[in-house]
Every structure is written in structure tokens, then in C-alpha cells.
Amino acid sequence: MILYENIRLALFSLKANKMRALLTMLGIIIGISSVIAIMTVGNSMTTSVSESMESMGANNITVGLQQKEDEEESTEEGLQFGGPGRMKTAQDDDGFTYEMLENYCDTYGDYIMAISASESVGSGQIVDGSLYANVNVTGASLGYFIANSIDLAAGQFFQEREFDDGVMVALISDLAADNLFDGDDEAAVGSQIQVNVDDKYYNFTVIGVYEYDQSASGFSSTSTKDTTTSMYIPLKAAKELTHTDNYLQFTVVTASGVDSEEFAETTEDFFATYYRNNRDFEPSAFSMSSMVEEMTSMLGTITMAISVIAGIALLVGGIGVMNIMLVSITERTREIGTRKALGAPNSSIRTQFIVESIVICLIGGIIGIILGVALGAALANMLGTAASPSVSSIILSLTFSMAIGVFFGYYPANKAAKMDPIEALRYE
Amino acid sequence: MERKPVIQLTDIYKRFYIGTPNELQVLNGINLTVEEGEFVAVVGQSGSGKSTLMNIIGALDRPTEGQYHLDGVDMIAARDGELSKIRNRKIGFVFQTYNLISKTNALKNVEMPMLYAGVSGRKRVERAKELLTMVEMDERMHHLPEELSGGQKQRVAIARAMANDPAIILADEPTGALDSATGRKVMDLFHKLHKEQGKTIVLITHSPELAEETDRLITIKDGNITGERSGRGGQ
């Protein structure tokens, strides 16, 4: 009953000083809304990153090369150059050979669904009179399409013969088909295209059109017409164009039910045997799921760090509340004296001012939450991810703003409670 | 008729700044008994010690030495928490400057002492309305103090003092800030409370005319009671 009266009184005194109350709340509003907004964006990004990585295949294992840590060399040369060893670039000779991959497939056939390897030929343009489409010419193995979940809109994938012989056939994106064939995907299939890469012209036959996944490539500032999409050609054809034989990197799509993290280690050990004699490089394999974990925890850390900074804004807001409460009790010294003379115990004076401080913080907190959720949704929308405001952060903020009210309201309230009634009644 | 004493002050001393060179003795052994139903005026010039005496009677302050019993309760032995309860139940304050709570209306102001006494909402409103009717302020009970005249504010304050039916009403210069006509009305109200409800009232004033109207006049000078005689009201 007294609590209800106290809340009513607190609202009265807020109403009497609207401008002051608003300015006081502003600190809390800014603090809470930024914490919520950041957490929402962080959450959304974590969700979308892990979703898009999983769509790339959580079961995928990426195998690549990393520089060996040659201790002798690094100490000597490290001292000389003032850095930890010299960076080397892996050459084609260092790459995984076709034989290694074949051996690997023979050994672990049951664990592997497909092997995805690619070779970038370069970026160029498909030209047809005044029509053009920007493309990255990429040689791809059959597994590449499985690993990257690429779907066809028209035509067909490369046949085994085309892979083996390195036939000059191509898959273009539906976006490129829009530019070149006025959106008629069926017309594109079977047509001859000429591609200009580094001032060299190559002729390909289009055998299929795939669906270009815009979200996978992030945002692009160019218009749809100028967007660069991938044009896939058989891996062997690309190898011939780039005059290379080996693979610096490839992706293994594991069969379902295989523990990809465990298999990544097995894979690394398998290829390590081939690299015992290589002076500079050793294979490294890591699974997508461990990468997802890494990314998620990294984003979480970033979110936490920014939230802490926003939390400082909240702290400043809390100090503002304390300041205004001190002003308020000084202004109402006579009221406090009167209440004490009429028999208010110290505890109820204290409660009255703590409740007032909590009310300020809670109203600020609620406004902050609404603004924060809206801001977070707007930001997430801008980044192209679905907003997922975290319920826990909302509950946390509400509790936290109440805690701020109690914490920063206690000192002024206690000061009010301990006032000498005679002095307070005499106060002008 | 044997009347029971409500206020019993025995050898009350009050000293300030004890142990410092500025030590100041404000009350020099005051002995005063006020009986139930009495209307007593305490008269004295400023600096005479009457405010200090009022603070002690009103349980806002403690004497340095002496005994004080209010309505049978030993006020020296009472702890601070008990003193606020006693102020709430046994004492009704009326101040010179009214001291109404500015942001709440007349009704809520009268309800306030009952709120601290733990009276339930409906009973509070009922009693507050009753009291405001008694002081003829029932038509303005939803007005804020700033919308009331000085005399009206003081009448609301008197209703508030009566809220918990206290043993004594302690009025400190209740007409000090009012013109003589409105001051008259306020004084009439005290007389009404005294006569009709038999309230014990201690009026602190520096106005000899108003003091004359009471049962008993007590004059304080330099911390001593220097005179005590019956007023017109007591005859």
C-alpha cells in the first residue's frame, strides 16, 4: 500500500519536472538502447554467419597448405629480418597432386562424398556485341557444386567426360544470362560465348545456367548489370588455361554421419606423409564446423566488448540519476522534514526516494529497450540479416536498470532518511 | 474532576555545542505539566527557548537532561523508531508555514499521517473527508496547496494534525503568516477542537492577545518559565 503510494508520488514528481526527468532518463535511455541494439546486431550477425557457413556445408573440410615452422631458419633469419621467419608463397610444385587425391579417395572412400577443388583463371568479361557480363572464370570439380550447394536454373552440370577431357564448356549465372540473353535461361543453354580474360579470348559452350545466390556474396555497390558472377568451367580446362597441375587447396565433403572434425585430423595426417620432405610447407585441414564455432565466439567477443563500452554510457546515466536525486532531496528538504514530523519512519523516507529513482531508471530502461530493439532491427536490416532481439538481453537490461535505480538512488535516499527533522523543517 | 496529565516535563535542560567553548544552555530546568483537555499557550520572545521546548514536546528533539512523559510514555527511554511512531499517533503538528506537501491535493495531505500509521485506503479517505468537512474545506479537497489561500492551507493542516486523533495538538505560531481576519478563523477552529472534542492543545505564540484566549499562559524567558497564569479561556 505504501509502495503503491510511493510509486504514485514518484510519478507525480516526475510529471512536475518533465524536462528534468527526460534529461535524467536520457543517459539510461542511450545506455540501454545501445546495449540492446548492439546485442541484437551481434546476435543477428552470429546467426547469419553460422547459417551461411552451414549452408556452405558444416560437414566440409578445407585442406590447404601452411608454412612449416622451421626452427633453425626462423631463429637465424628472424633475428636478421626482425620478424618471425620469412613468408613464402606456395608454388604449384608444392601443391597436392592429382595422384595424392586419388590415393586419398581410395583410402577413405567411405568417408568422402565428394572432393571440391577449384582453380581461378581470372576475372574477365563475356562479350557479345554491345552486350556483356562480368565474370570470374573458375575451374571447378564435380564436388565443388555439391560443397557449395549450387542449383541449376536450366541446362545441366558437366558430364564426366567433360571433366576428364577438359572440354571448353561453361556454366553461367542467371544474372549473366539476364545480361546476355535477356533473361531467357533456355536460350542461353547451347549457345557459344566468347570470354575475354587478361586480353585473351576464349570460346566456350554454355551447357547450363545456375542460380546466383546474392546473399552468399554479401553486399555489392554495383548495379545488377555490372555484378561480377562466377562462370564455372571444368577443372581440367582451367588447369590447362593456367598451366598448372596441382592443387593448393581443396574441400572435402564428408559423407553423412562422419565426424568432420575428427576426419579433418585424419586427413591432415594422411597428407602429412607426402610433405615430410617438403622444406617449406605442410598440409592443414580444418572442418567448417570448427570454423563456425570460431567465428561465433569471435563475434560474441566483439559484441561483448562493444556492449561493455555501451555499459559505460549506462554507468554515466546512473550517475546522472544520482545527481538529480541529490538535487531533488535538497529541493524537498522541507517536505522530508514535514513527513518526519508527521511520523514517517526513516525507512519509508528511504523507500520513497529509492522508488523514485527506480521509477526514473525503469521508465528510461523501457524507452531504451523499445528504441534499442527498433535500432537493432534497423541496423540488422541494413546489414541484410534478420533481426533477432535477444530476450535475455531485454530481461537483463530491465533488471540492470532497476539495479542502477537502487544503487544510485540509495545514497541520496539514505541522506534524505537521515536528515534531522528540525533542520529540515527550518530549511528555506 | 481529576484530570490526567498528558505532558509531564521534569527538570528539562537542553544544551547545544556541548564540550565546546560555544556551549549554550537553552533550557534551564523546565518543569511543566499539561493536563488532558487543557488549552495552553506558551509565550516568549524569539531566543527565549520556546522553539526548543516545542521540539522536545513534539519528540523531534531530546533534552540533554530531565524527564519527559507524554500520555504515559517515557519519551527519554524511547528509541528513534518509537519516537516517529509517537509523533505519528500522539502528536498533531500545525506549523506557521503550513508545510503541506506541494504536489498532492488537500485530501492526500490529510491522508498522509494515516498512511504512515498503516490505515487502509478506504478508511483513510473516509476519515480525511470527515476532517476536511469539519474544517470546512470539503469543497476544495481536490485542490493542490498552491491553489489555496493561507487560511485555507492552515485549515487543511489542522485537519491533517487531527488525522490520527492525537493526544496533543502542537501549534507553532499557527496564525503567524496570516492576516488578522483569517488568523481569527484559525483560532476559532482551535477553540472548536478544544471545546467540542476536548483536545489538548499547546499553542506557541508571541501574540499576547491570542495567548489571552487560552486556559493557561506560560511565559518563557532565557530558558526559564518566568510566569504562569490563567487566561480568559480558563475562567
Side-chain angles (χ1 to χ4, degrees):
Chain A
M1 184 181 62
I2 294 242
L3 182 72
Y4 162 76
E5 283 295 319
N6 279 332
I7 292 171
R8 205 182 57 86
L9 270 173
L11 290 174
F12 259 127
S13 77
L14 291 187
K15 226 164 78 183
N17 291 305
K18 282 193 200 87
M19 191 63 188
R20 186 207 278 181
L22 186 74
L23 288 175
T24 309
M25 281 175 197
L26 210 55
I28 304 287
I29 294 173
I30 292 172
I32 295 272
S33 62
S34 41
V35 169
I36 299 260
I38 290 158
M39 285 203 166
T40 306
V41 171
N43 255 7
S44 316
M45 284 195 30
T46 310
T47 317
S48 86
V49 163
S50 54
E51 261 174 18
S52 72
M53 286 188 116
E54 255 153 46
S55 80
M56 283 180 203
N59 294 328
N60 291 3
I61 295 169
T62 306
V63 187
L65 290 172
Q66 66 181 27
Q67 198 163 0
K68 272 186 182 166
E69 284 175 29
D70 190 42
E71 277 167 25
E72 274 172 58
E73 202 179 353
S74 72
T75 40
E76 278 175 26
E77 294 193 9
L79 280 173
Q80 261 179 320
F81 289 93
R86 199 162 25 153
M87 287 304 287
K88 287 203 171 90
T89 315
Q91 302 300 316
D92 186 42
D93 291 344
D94 298 312
F96 303 102
T97 61
Y98 190 71
E99 287 72 41
M100 289 185 205
L101 293 182
E102 257 185 349
N103 267 342
Y104 174 64
C105 286
D106 289 345
T107 318
Y108 298 107
D110 292 344
Y111 296 93
I112 302 162
M113 193 163 122
I115 286 194
S116 155
S118 64
E119 177 76 31
S120 177
V121 178
S123 63
Q125 217 170 35
I126 307 173
V127 197
D128 181 12
S130 66
L131 299 172
Y132 69 93
N134 294 327
V135 289
N136 277 324
V137 180
T138 307
S141 72
L142 186 63
Y144 185 90
F145 300 100
I146 300 165
N148 293 289
S149 320
I150 292 168
D151 293 323
L152 279 188
Q156 56 184 15
F157 282 117
F158 305 129
Q159 302 304 300
E160 211 165 331
R161 189 188 63 82
E162 286 158 346
F163 276 114
D164 290 347
D165 298 347
V167 181
M168 297 291 263
V169 287
L171 284 173
I172 61 172
S173 68
D174 48 3
L175 229 59
D178 277 353
N179 289 344
L180 299 168
F181 301 99
D182 206 16
D184 189 350
D185 294 343
E186 298 298 337
V189 177
S191 63
Q192 292 286 325
I193 53 170
Q194 195 174 46
V195 185
N196 175 2
V197 180
D198 297 335
D199 285 333
K200 285 180 200 142
Y201 287 88
Y202 305 105
N203 288 309
F204 291 96
T205 309
V206 178
I207 60 157
V209 178
Y210 71 91
E211 288 166 7
Y212 175 64
D213 184 6
Q214 194 148 21
S215 66
S217 57
F219 34 176
S220 133
S221 53
T222 55
S223 69
T224 345
K225 193 169 161 57
D226 289 319
T227 306
T228 303
T229 60
S230 291
M231 178 183 111
Y232 297 111
I233 61 174
L235 186 57
K236 197 163 184 192
K239 284 279 171 203
E240 274 164 22
L241 293 180
T242 57
H243 308 292
T244 55
D245 298 315
N246 301 330
Y247 307 93
L248 296 177
Q249 190 190 316
F250 62 87
T251 305
V252 181
V253 184
T254 54
S256 63
V258 173
D259 182 343
S260 58
E261 267 176 74
E262 206 181 297
F263 190 57
E265 275 172 43
T266 316
T267 305
E268 198 170 297
D269 292 344
F270 176 86
F271 286 104
T273 56
Y274 293 100
Y275 280 83
R276 248 179 241 132
N277 297 324
N278 190 309
R279 275 196 65 200
D280 302 318
F281 295 98
E282 61 188 2
S284 80
F286 52 93
S287 72
M288 209 51 128
S289 59
S290 69
M291 235 165 104
V292 169
E293 251 167 59
E294 224 166 86
M295 283 294 276
T296 311
S297 83
M298 201 177 76
L299 275 170
T301 313
I302 294 170
T303 307
M304 271 320 287
I306 305 175
S307 298
V308 165
I309 295 167
I312 292 170
L314 206 53
L315 187 75
V316 175
I319 294 168
V321 170
M322 176 143 99
N323 187 23
I324 223 68
M325 288 307 297
L326 283 171
V327 171
S328 173
I329 66 153
T330 307
E331 275 179 357
R332 288 151 72 184
T333 300
R334 280 182 81 96
E335 178 190 323
I336 294 162
T338 307
R339 284 178 184 276
K340 291 191 132 188
L342 295 178
N346 291 357
S347 61
S348 74
I349 301 280
R350 195 182 297 122
T351 313
Q352 181 190 340
F353 286 98
I354 287 179
V355 165
E356 188 166 323
S357 158
I358 290 175
V359 166
I360 292 177
C361 291
L362 259 188
I363 295 176
I366 290 167
I367 297 173
I369 286 168
I370 295 168
L371 281 181
V373 168
L375 192 69
L379 281 176
N381 199 26
M382 254 171 62
L383 293 173
T385 60
S388 50
S390 90
V391 179
S392 64
S393 74
I394 287 172
I395 293 168
L396 195 77
S397 322
L398 270 180
T399 324
F400 197 58
S401 52
M402 261 179 80
I404 286 174
V406 174
F407 185 79
F408 289 101
Y410 185 81
Y411 171 71
N414 206 38
K415 207 178 151 190
K418 288 203 168 135
M419 272 185 192
D420 177 8
I422 301 169
E423 294 289 322
L425 280 168
R426 222 183 273 152
Y427 185 84
E428 290 295 328
Chain B
M1 190 181 79
E2 181 72 14
R3 290 205 287 187
K4 87 171 194 211
V6 178
I7 298 170
Q8 271 180 299
L9 292 164
T10 318
D11 295 328
I12 296 289
Y13 287 84
K14 180 69 185 180
R15 287 184 280 272
F16 290 105
Y17 316 117
I18 294 163
T20 70
N22 318 341
E23 188 172 315
L24 188 67
Q25 181 148 315
V26 180
L27 297 178
N28 305 317
I30 299 274
N31 286 289
L32 176 66
T33 304
V34 177
E35 286 170 345
E36 192 177 10
E38 256 194 310
F39 192 171
V40 177
V42 176
V43 204
Q45 292 181 327
S46 54
S48 60
K50 66 177 171 7
S51 293
T52 307
L53 182 64
M54 188 203 107
N55 287 339
I56 289 172
I57 294 174
L60 292 168
D61 206 353
R62 291 168 185 275
T64 314
E65 260 179 61
Q67 290 297 311
Y68 174 26
H69 290 267
L70 175 69
D71 202 21
V73 179
D74 184 354
M75 301 290 278
I76 307 300
R79 281 172 303 167
D80 284 355
E82 288 169 317
L83 284 187
S84 49
K85 217 172 234 176
I86 288 163
R87 285 199 294 271
N88 186 229
R89 313 280 164 90
K90 294 195 186 290
I91 303 166
F93 283 94
V94 178
F95 304 95
Q96 180 177 1
T97 48
Y98 331 119
N99 287 348
L100 298 179
I101 307 298
S102 56
K103 269 143 205 153
T104 56
N105 63 27
L107 189 67
K108 288 277 170 195
N109 263 285
V110 178
E111 277 185 51
M112 201 179 67
M114 294 186 266
L115 188 73
Y116 292 124
V119 178
S120 74
R122 199 198 290 164
K123 275 193 186 150
R124 249 176 15 225
V125 176
E126 211 170 278
R127 168 93 176 133
K129 281 182 177 165
E130 197 178 290
L131 288 166
L132 283 166
T133 311
M134 185 189 75
V135 300
E136 292 167 22
M137 285 299 295
D138 48 325
E139 280 173 20
R140 315 213 68 183
M141 64 183 169
H142 294 297
H143 287 249
L144 291 177
E146 63 197 36
E147 297 162 347
L148 303 173
S149 72
Q152 289 173 327
K153 278 190 236 185
Q154 198 59 298
R155 269 144 61 199
V156 173
I158 291 169
R160 183 177 66 182
M162 290 289 292
N164 288 328
D165 196 19
I168 59 164
I169 290 200
L170 203 51
D172 184 12
E173 303 276 11
T175 60
L178 302 173
D179 61 66
S180 53
T182 42
R184 182 71 257 150
K185 274 188 92 174
V186 167
M187 273 311 284
D188 289 345
L189 194 53
F190 281 117
H191 284 297
K192 189 176 151 192
L193 289 176
H194 176 229
K195 291 218 174 73
E196 289 176 10
Q197 301 197 25
K199 277 282 148 203
T200 311
I201 301 171
V202 176
L203 171 72
I204 289 161
T205 181
H206 61 257
S207 155
E209 297 89 56
L210 294 178
E212 279 302 332
E213 297 174 14
T214 63
D215 299 346
R216 192 150 60 114
L217 271 87
I218 291 153
T219 314
I220 291 196
K221 199 179 174 190
D222 299 330
N224 294 302
I225 293 180
T226 54
E228 198 176 332
R229 63 186 173 86
S230 298
R232 262 182 293 129
Q235 285 156 5

